[in-house]
Amino acid sequence: MFVPSDRGVGSAASDFKGFTLLMPAVSVGNVGQLAIDLVISTLDMTKVGYFYTDCLVPMVGNNPYATAEENSTELSINAEVYSLPSEKLVVLQIRSPFIKNKYRPFCEALLSWVKGSSCARVIVLSSSHAYQRDDEQLLGTPLRYLLTPDLEKAVGGLMQELNWKEMEKVAAYPGISDTDKVLHIPGGGITKLLFTESCTKGIQMAVLLKFCSEGDNIPDAFVLVNYLNEWLQLVKSEVNSSSQWKIPSSWRLLFGNGLPPALF
């Protein structure tokens, strides 16, 4: 359930009619979440509320996008909503993993909010295990996309112009039968469930994902957010590069502060 914040009182906090909802899947390498961080930080989006749910592990921390001492002590929780009305963009950032067996209730609540708030479409940023690709997926780019039938009608032609590669279906029974194929996104968290439910409910949804491995996934996040930018043009630039994105202050703590010099 979306709960508007005090600073977002008014239309900016609750009127998302015609907006694009951008959100991550909690997936391998946290690539989608890192890419969302770059979007929020670069576009200087305003926090307008949070998503109240018992499906995520509770957490609280300092403002991950602090720019000065004055706003560094603001608190952030596990699922927050940011808005940029000028671009008709609303972002849901998820910062903690799901509680066991809570995928489906979360997807139901989220899609109910999407319909109730009249969002025009949803874009999910995700990732999948690189080591579980089949032979066809090993070829070419590590980036893939998926479109629900309702969104396919609207932007399918654009994806062809961008020369993007659709996520392949894989054999349901490898080595036994290659005729029965299914959508398989290992390491993708809620991605597949959210996508299939959106297909059923007639919601316009796109999934953009990158094959990757666990580790330092910051480079993967830049690749994924540049992939998104090819479509939405959130940052106007002739050439997509990492330098056009503003790295949030919280990223300084991703791998700790290093070893004390006194040890050497």
Side-chain angles (χ1 to χ4, degrees), residues 34-66:
L34 292 170
I36 292 291
D37 267 351
L38 290 170
V39 171
I40 294 172
S41 179
T42 302
L43 300 181
D44 194 23
M45 299 184 73
T46 301
K47 181 162 65 176
V48 294
Y50 60 94
F51 200 74
Y52 179 74
T53 176
D54 63 354
C55 301
L56 296 166
V57 174
M59 61 80 58
V60 66
N62 284 6
N63 179 8
Y65 313 115

Side-chain angles (χ1 to χ4, degrees), residues 22 24-25 27-40 42 93 125-127 142-143 208-213 215-230 234 240-248 251 254-255:
L22 183 62
S27 52
V28 56
N30 303 312
V31 176
Q33 294 155 290
L34 292 170
I36 292 291
D37 267 351
L38 290 170
V39 171
I40 294 172
T42 302
Q93 175 63 303
L125 301 185
S126 184
S127 51
L143 296 161
L208 309 187
L209 65 83
K210 185 181 186 298
F211 294 117
C212 68
S213 302
D216 179 357
N217 296 102
I218 289 176
D220 297 305
F222 279 115
V223 171
L224 186 59
V225 78
N226 282 329
Y227 188 51
L228 170 72
N229 199 52
E230 285 183 41
L234 297 173
N240 279 329
S241 68
S242 58
S243 61
Q244 66 189 349
W245 302 100
K246 179 182 176 184
I247 296 175
W251 281 24
L254 281 178
F255 299 101

Side-chain angles (χ1 to χ4, degrees), residues 66-126:
T67 54
E69 187 174 346
E70 291 74 25
N71 62 5
S72 63
T73 55
E74 293 178 5
L75 295 181
S76 293
I77 59 172
N78 54 11
E80 295 185 318
V81 180
Y82 298 78
S83 177
L84 187 64
S86 62
E87 295 289 336
K88 281 195 167 292
L89 182 68
V90 58
V91 171
L92 169 64
Q93 175 63 303
I94 301 173
R95 298 193 177 95
S96 68
F98 284 88
I99 293 172
K100 188 176 181 181
N101 299 324
K102 289 288 189 176
Y103 277 15
R104 188 168 293 278
F106 180 84
C107 289
E108 290 174 353
L110 176 68
L111 296 180
S112 176
W113 174 52
V114 168
K115 283 203 164 187
S117 60
S118 300
C119 285
R121 60 188 178 185
V122 183
I123 301 175
V124 180
L125 301 185
S126 184

Side-chain angles (χ1 to χ4, degrees), residues 103-105 107 111 185 189-198:
Y103 277 15
R104 188 168 293 278
C107 289
L111 296 180
I185 310 177
I190 65 169
T191 306
K192 181 179 176 181
L193 178 60
L194 200 55
F195 179 75
T196 55
E197 286 294 305
S198 296

Side-chain angles (χ1 to χ4, degrees), residues 143-156:
L143 296 161
R144 294 292 188 276
Y145 78 92
L146 285 166
L147 299 176
T148 60
D150 288 79
L151 188 56
E152 174 78 38
K153 298 172 185 176
V155 302

Side-chain angles (χ1 to χ4, degrees), residues 130-170:
Y131 74 89
Q132 288 193 259
R133 289 173 290 177
D134 68 3
D135 290 347
E136 187 178 1
Q137 292 171 338
L138 286 168
L139 301 174
T141 175
L143 296 161
R144 294 292 188 276
Y145 78 92
L146 285 166
L147 299 176
T148 60
D150 288 79
L151 188 56
E152 174 78 38
K153 298 172 185 176
V155 302
L158 175 61
M159 301 310 179
Q160 299 300 320
E161 291 178 16
L162 291 172
N163 201 29
W164 281 13
K165 198 167 185 179
E166 189 173 5
M167 183 69 171
E168 303 89 345
K169 290 186 176 181
V170 300

